[in-house]
Amino acid sequence: MAYFNPKVISNCTYVYVSGESYTGANSATLTFELLTGSGGSGSHSATINYGGTNLTGTVMIAISDLPSAHGVYEITVVENGTEVAKKLVMIHCDIDCCLVKLTDELLACECDCAKCATSLAKAQKIFLLLDSAHTAIDQFNKNSTSNSGYALDAANKYNKAKEMCDASCGCNC
């Protein structure tokens, strides 16, 4: 059975895609479409070349080549002019840095005060939003026929987490 799996690697430096041809084609075009309003818009295309007896291949796309270094992307796979698959991938190192800063604030807190409770509640909400977005992405990626409701859900939850983090930015952003 043919497959294609995108994942973010190397501390949000690359999107690594591995796959197997759906139609017996020697290559496919991957189109990355940004679904979130996180500092960019548009799309980016790349080619994955298949080889060997299973017609499998890999490609690494530099995140710096994408319209934005953060957000939810829908990746469409086209072989021989026909769309054969869609998957989602979320690049969220910006939000991870926010969570690090909030965690550092909590570790520095020496009392059980309202400030600490507020930081904890905010970190919990952001973490739950990211976790929920990952679940929506997993549901989208499991379906052979893509469900745009899951994509919209993931994008909305990423955007809300990003909005909550804008005032608590960490990691030199």
Side-chain angles (χ1 to χ4, degrees):
M1 180 174 176
Y3 68 91
F4 119 83
N5 297 311
K7 61 183 169 181
V8 178
I9 63 168
S10 297
N11 198 25
C12 291
T13 306
Y14 296 98
V15 175
Y16 175 81
V17 180
S18 60
E20 179 179 3
S21 178
Y22 286 80
T23 64
N26 291 323
S27 67
T29 300
L30 309 174
T31 303
F32 291 73
E33 186 71 35
L34 183 63
L35 300 181
T36 54
S38 58
S41 63
S43 63
H44 175 76
S45 293
T47 300
I48 185 170
N49 293 308
Y50 304 124
T53 56
N54 295 332
L55 289 175
T56 60
T58 61
V59 64
M60 287 202 320
I61 295 93
I63 288 176
S64 60
D65 290 342
L66 298 175
S68 175
H70 310 98
V72 177
Y73 281 90
E74 182 178 75
I75 306 170
T76 303
V77 181
V78 175
E79 293 178 0
N80 296 322
T82 302
E83 182 181 301
V84 294
K86 283 188 178 191
K87 296 279 176 119
L88 298 178
V89 68
M90 181 169 53
I91 307 168
H92 58 83
C93 283
D94 57 336
I95 296 173
D96 291 344
C97 286
C98 167
L99 286 171
V100 166
K101 182 176 181 195
L102 288 168
T103 301
D104 288 345
E105 286 176 14
L106 289 167
L107 292 172
C109 220
E110 294 182 17
C111 64
D112 190 15
C113 58
K115 180 185 182 295
C116 294
T118 302
S119 293
L120 177 60
K122 184 175 184 177
Q124 288 172 326
K125 287 178 187 177
I126 293 166
F127 179 82
L128 290 172
L129 284 165
L130 277 184
D131 195 49
S132 185
H134 276 294
T135 299
I137 288 169
D138 288 345
Q139 291 300 313
F140 181 96
N141 290 348
K142 283 181 187 176
N143 287 331
S144 57
T145 58
S146 62
N147 182 334
S148 61
Y150 289 123
L152 180 61
D153 187 41
N156 286 341
K157 287 177 176 156
Y158 172 87
N159 283 336
K160 183 63 178 176
K162 175 72 174 161
E163 177 186 313
M164 291 180 73
C165 280
D166 281 344
S168 298
C169 189
C171 300
N172 301 321
C173 52

